[in-house]
Amino acid sequence: MGCRQSFKQCCDRPKNTNVRISLPAVCFVWQIAMIILFGIFIRYDQESDAHWTEYRKFRNISSDIENDFYFRYPSFQDVHVMIFVGFGFLMTFLKRYSFSAVGFNFLIAAFGLQWALLMQGWFQSLDPMDGKIKISMESLINADFCVASCLIAYGAVLGKLSPVQLMVMTLFGITLYAVEEFIILNLIHARDAGGSMVIHTFGAYYGLSISWMLYRPNLDQSKRLNGSVYHSDVFAMIGTLFLWMFWPSFNSAVTDHGDGQHRAAINTYLALASTVLTTVAISSLSQKTGKLDMVHIQNSTLAGGVAVGTAAEFMLMPYGSLIIGFCCGIISTLGYIYITPFMEKYLKIQDTCGIHNLHAMPGVIGGIVGAVTAAAASEGKLDKNAAAMKSAQFICFQLCCILRMPIWGDASDDNCFDDELYWELPEDEESIPPILEDNNHMRNRDV
Amino acid sequence: MGCRQSFKQCCDRPKNTNVRISLPAVCFVWQIAMIILFGIFIRYDQESDAHWTEYRKFRNISSDIENDFYFRYPSFQDVHVMIFVGFGFLMTFLKRYSFSAVGFNFLIAAFGLQWALLMQGWFQSLDPMDGKIKISMESLINADFCVASCLIAYGAVLGKLSPVQLMVMTLFGITLYAVEEFIILNLIHARDAGGSMVIHTFGAYYGLSISWMLYRPNLDQSKRLNGSVYHSDVFAMIGTLFLWMFWPSFNSAVTDHGDGQHRAAINTYLALASTVLTTVAISSLSQKTGKLDMVHIQNSTLAGGVAVGTAAEFMLMPYGSLIIGFCCGIISTLGYIYITPFMEKYLKIQDTCGIHNLHAMPGVIGGIVGAVTAAAASEGKLDKNAAAMKSAQFICFQLCCILRMPIWGDASDDNCFDDELYWELPEDEESIPPILEDNNHMRNRDV
Amino acid sequence: MGCRQSFKQCCDRPKNTNVRISLPAVCFVWQIAMIILFGIFIRYDQESDAHWTEYRKFRNISSDIENDFYFRYPSFQDVHVMIFVGFGFLMTFLKRYSFSAVGFNFLIAAFGLQWALLMQGWFQSLDPMDGKIKISMESLINADFCVASCLIAYGAVLGKLSPVQLMVMTLFGITLYAVEEFIILNLIHARDAGGSMVIHTFGAYYGLSISWMLYRPNLDQSKRLNGSVYHSDVFAMIGTLFLWMFWPSFNSAVTDHGDGQHRAAINTYLALASTVLTTVAISSLSQKTGKLDMVHIQNSTLAGGVAVGTAAEFMLMPYGSLIIGFCCGIISTLGYIYITPFMEKYLKIQDTCGIHNLHAMPGVIGGIVGAVTAAAASEGKLDKNAAAMKSAQFICFQLCCILRMPIWGDASDDNCFDDELYWELPEDEESIPPILEDNNHMRNRDV
């Protein structure tokens, strides 16, 4: 809190958004560090090692098709598409921030997955015999999951952070994620295959904490750019649909072989279908003339997938999935209509993509549903979860003090949401901003 | 027919396109009905139930990899992409109807797949022991197939129906589909793995019947919007390509395990490749200067996949597939050039996406090829198929009388193809229509 | 060389870009030839033939899941997406050549894969018993690989060749590919699962040779069109990401079952992640203000996948993959900054997409890494490779003399990169060129 105020003045000066030293430095140094750490710690596991044949004899497995690769690879590729195309394109909706949406999403995911392989390995699969982390397809899926939580957080600060800050945010985010995941899955022994709590709730509150710490009181000065144009909304639908379609793979990717994966995919498919209808209903109700709002369709239709994550592998029953989706479509859309403006005005949390409505609330619902469905062993889970959240919040506080240092090249309040700062733009778009600005001034005068 | 005329006058009044009551009401009530019906009827089948382990012992299966999930899931996900991204983006070609194309496609597919699970279950897989429908991955694929037929129908009426009418059209369409599928597959015992007849021909004639019943004599008044812009055509190519690439999965998704799936994928791959070349040839021939027409490339290149559907699993031979593709590329492209304008002018059928050329004709060809290839048991199939089509047409007649009631919020003839009616639009596009309209008026004056 | 000069004058005349006779003729005749050749030569192999059941008994296989279809099909579909959406959309970055980028990519891939099935079959899998080629899923993947090399070559000549010339280029390219592949894989017995040398280096030098032969001294006259607009760059990112995400499938699609596929996917995943960071670093360093260049992000981020191709199936170690990606991101981005302008100015090679940086250099690196990793049997490989390259260059020479004949309908220097020539365009874009041209004239005057 003190941190938040003490840096207030630096926000008022025009900022230097040159990242020519800091961005290459961070990329090079961290990538070299990854290479060294991978050299020390990371090896193939038995199923991806050339000794697979011996391993099979030892385990008495008769066929190559028993390699875990064939159980997991199709799901892995679907999850991979969600991370890079799904999250990347979902955030292209801003009229002049599409390059950064898809480009920085790409950058932080590519770094994050390497760091995640290390962090998750140290916490969960360090081989006591030789001190190595043995990776396989399942490790890659878990790394992608871990990255998802940071991309969710990116949604809250979209348009307001420089790429260097995003890298720092990702470094801390992945670290926190590994700690939190270890507590929930290995200490509390909760199951959370689709990551309602572990991925979505964590990622959302991590991003909202950062957004709160980096509150920009004069963000209105960029409001001319904080909106969509027709085709940027169509691009965003590419993201929405790939997330929506592949969510059954997301929730079933690391569940038990056989009926576990089968059931998780069915439940997720049904929950998502149900969400679409209630999202459309509430979105239409919210407008005087019954028109639909693209923001709701792009985001709230996904809430069912988030909420069914924890329980997807359980015997939730098909109608149970439909009910979860039904509720989450309503809650998430109402969140966009009422809670996001409330949070911005009274809690000083600026949430560009509305991740509170898409990930935080449905994630909490999912955790509760999962706890109820699992029945056994769920006692105390939510308390400790809350504790983990609190410690996360503490580290966020430290992180934000770091992030607010005036060396990262972030934008000033009046040129947020602008690709111009970090990208060479083609000519057609360089000529747009003055016109838009004029329009905006005129509109302001009218108001 | 009487119905068609008696409602004529209501078309001439400016229409009320407010769907604020009807759309949320339909979404809520139908979704709640789905939950109740799923609660009563739908359960997991043995392979997605947690009792899988016992089931395996009973069936003497040695490994989780034998779960039908691993035979079907990759194909399922490809089909799912075809339904939501393929059909959705294929219809984004209109300059100002992209939101509705991809958004309403999303809505009706999400509802349709739930209703399809119920309808197909009642007709084909109701367990006589406990009166329940047991679903698995194959049920989900079949539900997606069923939905495909309604999305095909949507193509004929694109831009002319309100979302509420589309929901009604989907409810009836899925119902008819289940009846027709039951007749063809279970009574006639025809095989139609890729659905040339069951999905494509049915869907196309269903859509064309509706379009005929809802004929708009003054649709020319919207012609300023019934066309593409440069980037909307590129968006549509996303749809085309995902349909084209994943069609081998579509035609092989529910065929027999092993060589059946293998062969169906190969045949479809080859038929589609062949179609591309003849489509390009005819498209280029049709223009004085040999230029290609995007409409043909976006649509006719897919005709081979439709036509090879029925026979894909048979021993069609690779050259057989190429021949089918060869013919369909020609017929479908000629359809766009000659038959679509003919149908609009003389048969009063307005077919926005040209589904008659992409689905109806190739579907019939596919049914014939399948019958010839299968040789046995095909006798009488086409007669009864025609009967099914006739009964479908009768129900369509009833449906259209319903659809023409002036309560559904559909557009008047001069503002069809306009997202404005049902979507909150970003500013850039709200300023376009008057300019376009002016241009149009001027052009009209010149003419 | 003589050929190059003797045709010089024909370039200065305004060209006739009418392809109304030549394009349909080529499409029809070649497709009919394919049908005949398929009829004579191509049959299903045992695993896609209906006799699979007997085959299984013979091989003592217990389950349908052992069909190679289930080992390969998910990878095949990913590769298929790379070919049509990946390569197609990667080339949509030009402001007015998106139709041709994605449309001609579609056409030449659809023809190429048929011709590749024949050529690769004749060279590698002709059954000595009955003189037939037996195809399966693996043949389809190899055909897609073969097509990839021609699409890489298309990148060098993008915007400068007519569709008929592209078809001729593909016919020769596939033929050369089959020869070169036979030499490298079957005579030298090198392994190159991901095709660093076989696909990427070959494809790139093939394309560059053609571009060199067809050098356009006055290409500057089209420079108003040789650039991107904002949304065309976002479309291109769709191509980039689908290539990037599915590259693990590309490199693992035809490797050994089991741990071979598993390891190839892991290595490729890691190499690509590493490449993204160094690409961003160099791109940012190359601009005075540290801004990123979309050209680098769209292309160089993929270099790691190219380079790790040959060695991906070996025991390269995770850190080895990261090192390869690290180096290739740097080299490829520097190539865009320094080598592409150098090649255009001094070597007279105009490389529209910069395939030398994305495919040629990383491909060579990949071949060397593979040779070093494989250790055994690599002796002499590079020499003979060079010989193959030389013979390729010779055939290219003949080809280019053919390609330069003034009958193919290619553009003159001042209207390259223009969809207008070969496509019916919607109205919005037909009105743009004069304005752009005006701008351009004014800019020229200022300079």
Side-chain angles (χ1 to χ4, degrees):
Chain A
M1 204 66 130
C3 176
R4 189 169 163 181
Q5 268 132 31
S6 68
F7 280 102
K8 198 182 174 315
Q9 48 269 55
C10 77
C11 292
D12 301 335
R13 285 178 305 199
K15 293 204 177 181
N16 175 10
T17 60
N18 189 327
V19 291
R20 200 189 171 191
I21 306 301
S22 51
L23 183 58
V26 164
C27 288
F28 270 128
V29 174
W30 292 9
Q31 186 58 54
I32 290 169
M34 289 301 117
I35 291 176
I36 295 169
L37 290 169
F38 268 60
I40 301 174
F41 287 106
I42 304 237
R43 295 292 176 275
Y44 304 116
D45 87 340
Q46 285 170 303
E47 309 206 9
S48 54
D49 194 284
H51 302 96
W52 164 246
T53 324
E54 289 154 38
Y55 169 70
R56 278 191 297 156
K57 272 195 208 134
F58 175 72
R59 285 268 302 264
N60 205 13
I61 292 169
S62 57
S63 164
D64 279 326
I65 197 86
E66 297 282 334
N67 191 311
D68 197 46
F69 181 80
Y70 303 101
F71 287 93
R72 306 277 181 213
Y73 192 68
S75 308
F76 160 70
Q77 274 296 5
D78 294 348
V79 171
H80 217 42
V81 172
M82 294 174 74
I83 297 298
F84 290 89
V85 164
F87 283 106
F89 273 83
L90 185 60
M91 299 189 282
T92 55
F93 71 97
L94 288 171
K95 67 180 78 159
R96 272 173 60 76
Y97 207 67
S98 302
F99 286 13
S100 301
V102 78
F104 296 158
N105 182 83
F106 195 13
L107 173 64
I108 64 187
F111 164 68
L113 60 87
Q114 298 177 57
W115 183 229
L117 281 173
L118 284 164
M119 284 300 303
Q120 292 185 315
W122 285 327
F123 270 100
Q124 293 191 43
S125 60
L126 205 62
D127 188 325
M129 300 285 282
D130 59 3
K132 306 290 186 201
I133 299 160
K134 306 291 170 57
I135 61 169
S136 67
M137 203 40 64
E138 196 170 339
S139 322
L140 269 46
I141 297 170
N142 279 316
D144 272 15
F145 280 179
C146 187
V147 162
S149 71
C150 290
L151 299 179
I152 291 166
Y154 180 29
V157 298
L158 186 74
K160 297 177 288 182
L161 260 55
S162 80
V164 186
Q165 287 175 307
L166 290 172
M167 290 290 280
V168 174
M169 189 185 93
T170 305
L171 181 80
F172 277 76
I174 300 282
T175 312
L176 275 171
Y177 178 93
V179 175
E180 165 249 8
E181 185 192 38
F182 180 73
I183 295 171
I184 295 179
L185 302 189
N186 299 53
L187 299 187
I188 305 182
H189 294 294
R191 290 180 71 92
D192 192 5
S196 299
M197 298 296 292
V198 173
I199 301 168
H200 296 283
T201 309
F202 165 75
Y205 284 115
Y206 178 61
L208 293 171
S209 307
I210 293 173
S211 191
W212 178 76
M213 291 303 297
L214 301 178
Y215 178 65
R216 289 171 175 272
N218 303 315
L219 194 60
D220 258 8
Q221 295 171 2
S222 298
K223 84 172 170 200
R224 75 192 181 285
L225 294 169
N226 190 0
S228 63
V229 292
Y230 193 70
H231 279 163
S232 71
D233 267 330
V234 181
F235 277 119
M237 280 305 290
I238 296 175
T240 300
L241 288 176
F242 275 102
L243 287 171
W244 195 91
M245 295 179 305
F246 287 159
W247 216 293
S249 296
F250 194 92
N251 286 347
S252 70
V254 296
T255 54
D256 292 339
H257 291 174
D259 63 287
Q261 283 192 281
H262 203 146
R263 192 164 52 248
I266 293 175
N267 286 332
T268 310
Y269 172 95
L270 292 173
L272 284 162
S274 178
T275 308
V276 175
L277 274 88
T278 51
T279 298
V280 167
I282 300 289
S283 181
S284 176
L285 266 180
S286 72
Q287 293 284 342
K288 242 183 357 207
T289 55
K291 292 185 187 184
L292 299 173
D293 189 326
M294 256 294 170
V295 173
H296 306 154
I297 307 300
Q298 283 162 6
N299 293 282
S300 297
T301 50
L302 300 166
V306 173
V308 86
T310 305
E313 61 175 332
F314 302 143
M315 289 292 289
L316 188 58
M317 289 296 125
Y319 65 88
S321 308
L322 290 182
I323 293 172
I324 293 176
F326 188 92
C327 300
C328 287
I330 297 173
I331 292 169
S332 176
T333 315
L334 290 176
Y336 277 95
I337 300 169
Y338 298 111
I339 301 180
T340 300
F342 174 86
M343 281 172 59
E344 175 147 4
K345 197 163 173 196
Y346 298 105
L347 306 183
K348 310 291 180 201
I349 297 175
Q350 291 153 332
D351 180 2
T352 311
C353 294
I355 60 169
H356 187 262
N357 314 307
L358 172 48
H359 298 281
M361 292 192 301
V364 170
I365 293 171
I368 295 169
V369 171
V372 172
T373 315
S378 68
E379 213 177 288
K381 187 162 69 177
L382 295 174
D383 291 352
K384 291 197 191 163
N385 245 327
M389 288 298 144
K390 206 166 263 176
S391 81
Q393 228 165 4
F394 176 76
I395 307 191
C396 285
F397 177 82
Q398 302 300 328
L399 166 61
C400 290
C401 287
I402 295 169
L403 282 181
R404 290 176 70 83
M405 285 193 265
I407 59 169
W408 303 121
D410 56 323
S412 57
D413 286 2
D414 61 345
N415 59 0
C416 285
F417 313 114
D418 196 346
D419 274 339
E420 176 75 65
L421 301 176
Y422 308 115
W423 297 86
E424 293 291 311
L425 290 189
E427 277 165 30
D428 68 320
E429 288 299 313
E430 286 183 320
S431 60
I432 285 180
I435 303 166
L436 277 169
E437 216 156 33
D438 278 354
N439 271 341
N440 191 54
H441 284 309
M442 281 191 287
R443 223 178 306 135
N444 282 351
R445 253 177 269 140
D446 292 347
V447 178
Chain B
M1 202 69 127
C3 176
R4 189 169 165 181
Q5 267 132 34
S6 70
F7 281 102
K8 200 185 171 311
Q9 49 270 54
C10 78
C11 292
D12 300 337
R13 284 178 306 198
K15 293 207 177 178
N16 175 8
T17 60
N18 190 327
V19 292
R20 199 188 173 192
I21 306 301
S22 52
L23 182 58
V26 164
C27 288
F28 270 127
V29 173
W30 292 9
Q31 185 58 55
I32 290 169
M34 289 299 120
I35 292 175
I36 295 169
L37 290 169
F38 268 60
I40 300 172
F41 287 105
I42 304 237
R43 296 292 178 271
Y44 305 115
D45 87 340
Q46 284 171 303
E47 308 207 10
S48 54
D49 195 283
H51 302 97
W52 165 246
T53 324
E54 289 153 38
Y55 169 71
R56 278 191 297 156
K57 271 194 209 132
F58 175 72
R59 286 268 302 264
N60 203 15
I61 293 170
S62 57
S63 164
D64 280 325
I65 198 86
E66 297 281 337
N67 191 309
D68 197 47
F69 181 79
Y70 302 102
F71 288 92
R72 305 277 181 214
Y73 192 67
S75 308
F76 160 69
Q77 275 294 4
D78 294 347
V79 172
H80 217 40
V81 171
M82 293 173 75
I83 298 298
F84 290 89
V85 164
F87 283 106
F89 273 84
L90 186 61
M91 298 190 283
T92 56
F93 71 97
L94 288 171
K95 67 181 79 161
R96 272 172 60 74
Y97 208 66
S98 303
F99 285 14
S100 301
V102 77
F104 296 157
N105 183 84
F106 195 13
L107 172 64
I108 64 188
F111 164 69
L113 59 88
Q114 298 176 58
W115 183 228
L117 282 172
L118 284 163
M119 283 302 301
Q120 293 185 315
W122 285 324
F123 270 99
Q124 294 191 42
S125 61
L126 205 62
D127 187 327
M129 300 287 283
D130 59 3
K132 306 291 186 199
I133 299 161
K134 306 289 170 62
I135 62 169
S136 67
M137 202 41 63
E138 198 171 337
S139 323
L140 269 47
I141 297 170
N142 279 317
D144 272 15
F145 280 177
C146 187
V147 163
S149 70
C150 290
L151 300 179
I152 291 165
Y154 180 28
V157 298
L158 186 73
K160 299 177 287 185
L161 261 55
S162 80
V164 186
Q165 286 174 306
L166 290 172
M167 291 290 280
V168 174
M169 188 185 93
T170 306
L171 181 79
F172 278 75
I174 301 283
T175 312
L176 276 171
Y177 178 93
V179 176
E180 164 249 8
E181 186 192 39
F182 180 73
I183 295 170
I184 295 179
L185 303 188
N186 299 52
L187 299 188
I188 307 182
H189 294 295
R191 290 180 70 89
D192 192 6
S196 299
M197 298 296 292
V198 175
I199 300 169
H200 296 283
T201 309
F202 166 74
Y205 284 114
Y206 179 61
L208 293 171
S209 309
I210 293 174
S211 191
W212 177 77
M213 291 303 297
L214 301 177
Y215 178 66
R216 289 169 175 274
N218 304 314
L219 193 60
D220 256 8
Q221 295 171 2
S222 297
K223 82 171 171 200
R224 75 193 180 283
L225 294 169
N226 190 1
S228 64
V229 291
Y230 194 70
H231 279 164
S232 72
D233 267 330
V234 181
F235 277 119
M237 279 305 290
I238 296 175
T240 300
L241 288 176
F242 275 102
L243 287 171
W244 196 92
M245 297 179 304
F246 288 158
W247 216 295
S249 296
F250 194 92
N251 285 348
S252 71
V254 297
T255 54
D256 292 339
H257 290 174
D259 63 287
Q261 281 192 281
H262 202 147
R263 195 166 49 251
I266 292 174
N267 286 332
T268 310
Y269 171 94
L270 292 172
L272 285 163
S274 179
T275 308
V276 175
L277 273 88
T278 49
T279 299
V280 167
I282 300 291
S283 182
S284 176
L285 267 179
S286 74
Q287 292 285 340
K288 238 181 2 200
T289 56
K291 292 184 188 186
L292 299 172
D293 189 325
M294 257 295 170
V295 172
H296 307 156
I297 307 299
Q298 283 161 6
N299 294 282
S300 296
T301 51
L302 300 165
V306 173
V308 85
T310 304
E313 61 175 334
F314 302 144
M315 290 291 290
L316 187 58
M317 290 298 127
Y319 64 88
S321 309
L322 291 182
I323 293 171
I324 293 176
F326 188 92
C327 301
C328 287
I330 296 172
I331 291 168
S332 176
T333 314
L334 290 175
Y336 278 96
I337 300 169
Y338 298 110
I339 300 181
T340 301
F342 175 87
M343 281 171 58
E344 175 147 4
K345 199 163 171 194
Y346 298 105
L347 307 182
K348 310 290 180 202
I349 298 175
Q350 293 153 330
D351 179 2
T352 311
C353 295
I355 61 168
H356 186 261
N357 314 306
L358 172 49
H359 298 280
M361 292 192 300
V364 171
I365 293 171
I368 294 168
V369 170
V372 170
T373 315
S378 68
E379 212 177 290
K381 186 161 71 176
L382 294 174
D383 291 352
K384 293 200 189 160
N385 244 327
M389 287 298 145
K390 206 166 264 178
S391 83
Q393 229 165 1
F394 175 76
I395 307 191
C396 284
F397 177 84
Q398 302 300 327
L399 166 62
C400 289
C401 288
I402 295 171
L403 281 181
R404 289 176 70 85
M405 284 193 265
I407 60 168
W408 302 119
D410 57 324
S412 56
D413 286 3
D414 61 345
N415 57 2
C416 285
F417 313 115
D418 197 346
D419 274 339
E420 177 77 63
L421 302 176
Y422 308 116
W423 296 86
E424 293 291 312
L425 290 188
E427 277 164 30
D428 68 320
E429 290 298 314
E430 286 182 318
S431 59
I432 285 180
I435 302 169
L436 278 169
E437 216 155 32
D438 277 354
N439 272 340
N440 192 57
H441 284 308
M442 280 191 289
R443 223 178 304 135
N444 283 350
R445 252 175 270 142
D446 292 346
V447 178
Chain C
M1 202 66 129
C3 176
R4 191 168 164 182
Q5 267 132 33
S6 69
F7 281 103
K8 198 182 173 313
Q9 47 270 54
C10 78
C11 291
D12 301 335
R13 287 180 303 202
K15 295 204 175 180
N16 174 8
T17 60
N18 189 327
V19 291
R20 200 188 172 193
I21 306 301
S22 53
L23 183 57
V26 165
C27 288
F28 270 128
V29 173
W30 293 9
Q31 185 59 54
I32 290 169
M34 290 300 117
I35 291 175
I36 295 169
L37 291 169
F38 267 61
I40 301 173
F41 287 106
I42 305 239
R43 295 292 178 273
Y44 304 115
D45 86 341
Q46 285 171 303
E47 308 207 10
S48 54
D49 195 282
H51 302 97
W52 164 246
T53 324
E54 290 153 38
Y55 169 70
R56 278 191 298 156
K57 269 192 210 137
F58 174 71
R59 284 268 302 265
N60 203 15
I61 292 170
S62 56
S63 164
D64 280 326
I65 196 88
E66 298 281 335
N67 191 311
D68 197 47
F69 181 80
Y70 303 102
F71 288 92
R72 306 278 180 213
Y73 191 68
S75 307
F76 160 70
Q77 275 295 4
D78 294 347
V79 171
H80 218 41
V81 172
M82 293 174 73
I83 298 298
F84 291 89
V85 163
F87 283 105
F89 273 84
L90 185 61
M91 299 190 282
T92 55
F93 70 98
L94 288 172
K95 67 181 77 162
R96 271 173 61 75
Y97 207 66
S98 303
F99 285 14
S100 301
V102 78
F104 296 158
N105 182 84
F106 195 14
L107 172 63
I108 64 187
F111 164 68
L113 60 86
Q114 298 176 56
W115 182 229
L117 281 172
L118 285 163
M119 283 300 302
Q120 292 185 316
W122 286 325
F123 270 100
Q124 294 190 43
S125 60
L126 204 63
D127 189 325
M129 301 286 284
D130 59 2
K132 306 289 186 201
I133 299 161
K134 306 290 169 59
I135 62 169
S136 68
M137 203 38 66
E138 196 170 339
S139 323
L140 269 47
I141 297 171
N142 279 317
D144 272 14
F145 280 178
C146 188
V147 162
S149 71
C150 291
L151 299 179
I152 291 166
Y154 180 29
V157 298
L158 186 74
K160 297 176 288 183
L161 262 55
S162 81
V164 186
Q165 286 175 307
L166 290 172
M167 291 290 280
V168 174
M169 189 185 92
T170 305
L171 182 78
F172 277 75
I174 301 282
T175 312
L176 276 172
Y177 178 93
V179 175
E180 164 251 8
E181 186 191 38
F182 180 71
I183 295 171
I184 295 180
L185 302 189
N186 299 51
L187 299 187
I188 306 184
H189 294 295
R191 289 180 70 91
D192 192 5
S196 299
M197 298 297 292
V198 174
I199 301 167
H200 296 284
T201 308
F202 166 74
Y205 284 115
Y206 179 61
L208 293 172
S209 307
I210 293 173
S211 191
W212 177 78
M213 291 303 297
L214 302 177
Y215 178 66
R216 291 171 174 271
N218 303 315
L219 194 61
D220 257 9
Q221 294 171 3
S222 296
K223 81 172 173 200
R224 73 194 182 284
L225 294 169
N226 189 0
S228 64
V229 292
Y230 194 70
H231 280 162
S232 72
D233 267 330
V234 181
F235 277 119
M237 280 304 291
I238 296 175
T240 300
L241 288 176
F242 275 103
L243 287 172
W244 195 92
M245 297 180 304
F246 287 158
W247 216 294
S249 296
F250 193 92
N251 286 348
S252 70
V254 295
T255 55
D256 292 339
H257 290 174
D259 63 287
Q261 282 192 283
H262 202 147
R263 194 164 51 249
I266 293 175
N267 286 332
T268 310
Y269 172 93
L270 291 173
L272 284 162
S274 178
T275 307
V276 175
L277 274 89
T278 50
T279 299
V280 167
I282 300 289
S283 182
S284 176
L285 266 179
S286 73
Q287 292 284 342
K288 239 179 4 198
T289 55
K291 291 184 187 184
L292 299 172
D293 189 325
M294 256 296 170
V295 173
H296 306 155
I297 306 300
Q298 282 161 6
N299 293 283
S300 297
T301 49
L302 300 166
V306 173
V308 85
T310 305
E313 60 175 334
F314 302 143
M315 289 293 288
L316 188 60
M317 290 297 126
Y319 64 88
S321 309
L322 290 183
I323 293 172
I324 293 174
F326 189 92
C327 299
C328 288
I330 297 173
I331 291 168
S332 176
T333 315
L334 289 176
Y336 278 96
I337 300 170
Y338 298 111
I339 300 179
T340 301
F342 175 87
M343 281 170 59
E344 175 147 5
K345 199 163 172 195
Y346 298 105
L347 307 183
K348 310 291 181 203
I349 298 174
Q350 291 154 332
D351 180 3
T352 312
C353 294
I355 60 168
H356 187 261
N357 315 305
L358 172 49
H359 297 281
M361 292 192 300
V364 171
I365 294 172
I368 295 170
V369 170
V372 172
T373 316
S378 68
E379 213 176 290
K381 187 162 70 177
L382 296 174
D383 290 352
K384 290 197 192 163
N385 243 325
M389 287 299 144
K390 206 164 262 176
S391 81
Q393 228 163 3
F394 175 76
I395 307 189
C396 284
F397 176 84
Q398 302 300 327
L399 166 62
C400 289
C401 286
I402 295 170
L403 282 181
R404 290 175 71 82
M405 285 192 265
I407 58 169
W408 303 120
D410 56 323
S412 56
D413 287 2
D414 62 343
N415 58 2
C416 284
F417 313 115
D418 196 346
D419 273 339
E420 176 76 64
L421 302 177
Y422 308 116
W423 296 86
E424 293 290 312
L425 292 187
E427 277 167 28
D428 67 321
E429 290 297 314
E430 286 182 318
S431 60
I432 284 181
I435 302 168
L436 277 168
E437 216 155 35
D438 278 354
N439 272 340
N440 191 56
H441 285 309
M442 281 193 285
R443 224 178 301 132
N444 283 350
R445 255 177 266 141
D446 292 346
V447 179

